[in-house]
Amino acid sequence: MKLKTTLYKEQLKKWPEKGQHIMAQYDEEKVIVYQSYRPAIGNFAMNNQYFGGPFKYTRMTWIKPNFLWMMYRNGWGTKEGQEVVLAIHLKRSAFERYLNQAVYSSFQKDVYENWDAWQEDVKNSSIRLQWDPDHDPHGNKLERRAIQLGIRNQEIIQYATEDILEIEDISNFVKEQHQHVLNKQLHLLMIPDEKPYTSSNDEVNRKLKLAAHDN
C-alpha cells in the first residue's frame, strides 16, 4: 500500500477541531481521494486502473479526500454495494480544477448573487460541492466539517480515464483497522496521514470558506 499511515491518536493532536477544512493526504503531484463500490465496479477499476465496465458515466460520482468521512459513509466497507474501498491517487491539477469549478449543492447567500444565479451555476457546472459534519472513527459527529465533491457530465469521463495516476484497493487495510474501532482500541488505529489542504487560488479558498489553520 502506497498510502502513508500514522496512528490516529497522534494525528488527532494536530488536527483542527472545528471549521471547514479539506483534510487530505497530498503532495505537489497528487491528492488522495476515496470511493467505495460494489465488487464489479471496484475490481474493474483496480485491475484496469481506470473507471469503466459497469461504471456509469451518466451518473454523478462523489469523491472524498477525508478517510474517516469515507469510513463514516461506507460503514468501514461493511455497507452493501460499498465493499471495495479505493484510494485514488488523483492528479493535484485535476483536484484544483474540480475546486475551481465547484458549485454548492445548496444556496449560499454570501457566495451567489441570488437564488436564480445559483440555479444557473448548478445547471452549468459539472462539479458539485458539499460540506457535511465530519465524524470520528465510531461515527460520532464532530464540529469540524468535511468536503465531498460530485463529478458529472464531461468531467466524469476525464476523471475516470485521464485524471487518475493510480488506483489502490485498500479494502483489507480498512477491515483490519475497523477491528481496532470495534474493539475500542483507538490507540492502535492507523489511518492515512492527513492535514488541511488549501487551494493555490485564494479566490477558491474564499468560495469554499475554508477555516484558517496552523501550518
Side-chain angles (χ1 to χ4, degrees):
M1 193 171 75
K2 294 186 179 179
L3 283 178
K4 297 175 182 176
T5 59
T6 310
L7 284 168
Y8 164 71
K9 288 282 193 179
E10 290 301 312
Q11 293 197 67
L12 201 56
K13 298 174 184 176
K14 299 181 288 184
W15 285 352
E17 294 182 1
K18 57 186 178 181
Q20 294 183 174
H21 298 275
I22 303 174
M23 302 301 296
Q25 182 168 138
Y26 60 93
D27 58 27
E28 291 301 315
E29 181 186 30
K30 64 183 179 291
V31 177
I32 307 296
V33 297
Y34 303 96
Q35 292 192 291
S36 293
Y37 287 106
R38 57 188 170 91
I41 295 176
N43 292 339
F44 181 98
M46 175 62 192
N47 294 334
N48 295 278
Q49 291 295 295
Y50 74 93
F51 285 100
F55 180 86
K56 295 190 186 323
Y57 293 148
T58 53
R59 293 180 59 184
M60 182 174 284
T61 191
W62 291 86
I63 59 172
K64 301 167 179 64
N66 177 325
F67 177 79
L68 286 179
W69 172 231
M70 184 76 255
M71 295 307 101
Y72 166 69
R73 290 305 297 268
N74 69 9
W76 289 86
T78 63
K79 290 185 179 179
E80 185 177 355
Q82 300 192 51
E83 301 89 350
V84 179
V85 186
L86 302 175
I88 295 147
H89 298 239
L90 184 67
K91 293 176 183 176
R92 183 164 177 169
S93 58
F95 190 69
E96 284 281 341
R97 191 176 79 246
Y98 304 159
L99 294 180
N100 188 56
Q101 295 183 46
V103 174
Y104 280 87
S105 58
S106 60
F107 177 61
Q108 307 288 314
K109 63 181 179 181
D110 54 343
V111 176
Y112 304 102
E113 186 178 347
N114 52 50
W115 176 275
D116 290 338
W118 167 66
Q119 285 282 287
E120 187 68 17
D121 278 358
V122 167
K123 185 173 71 174
N124 294 328
S125 175
S126 295
I127 308 294
R128 199 65 49 82
L129 157 68
Q130 194 165 304
W131 287 103
D132 299 279
D134 205 345
H135 291 74
D136 72 9
H138 291 296
N140 298 310
K141 193 181 292 187
L142 303 175
E143 288 190 52
R144 186 177 63 244
R145 297 183 75 79
I147 198 171
Q148 57 177 333
L149 297 170
I151 307 171
R152 65 174 184 169
N153 300 338
Q154 76 274 11
E155 283 290 350
I156 201 171
I157 299 172
Q158 190 165 346
Y159 166 72
T161 60
E162 297 178 33
D163 291 343
I164 294 169
L165 296 168
E166 185 174 355
I167 299 174
E168 282 191 281
D169 183 347
I170 61 169
S171 305
N172 288 335
F173 169 75
V174 167
K175 288 177 184 175
E176 290 167 3
Q177 300 311 311
H178 188 211
Q179 282 304 309
H180 297 316
V181 177
L182 293 175
N183 295 335
K184 298 183 178 178
Q185 297 176 314
L186 294 189
H187 62 287
L188 299 176
L189 177 63
M190 299 285 289
I191 66 169
D193 194 356
E194 295 178 352
K195 59 185 177 180
Y197 177 98
T198 52
S199 171
S200 57
N201 185 327
D202 289 340
E203 186 57 41
V204 169
N205 293 326
R206 282 192 290 272
K207 177 183 74 173
L208 297 176
K209 295 183 269 190
L210 293 181
H213 62 86
D214 297 326
N215 292 323

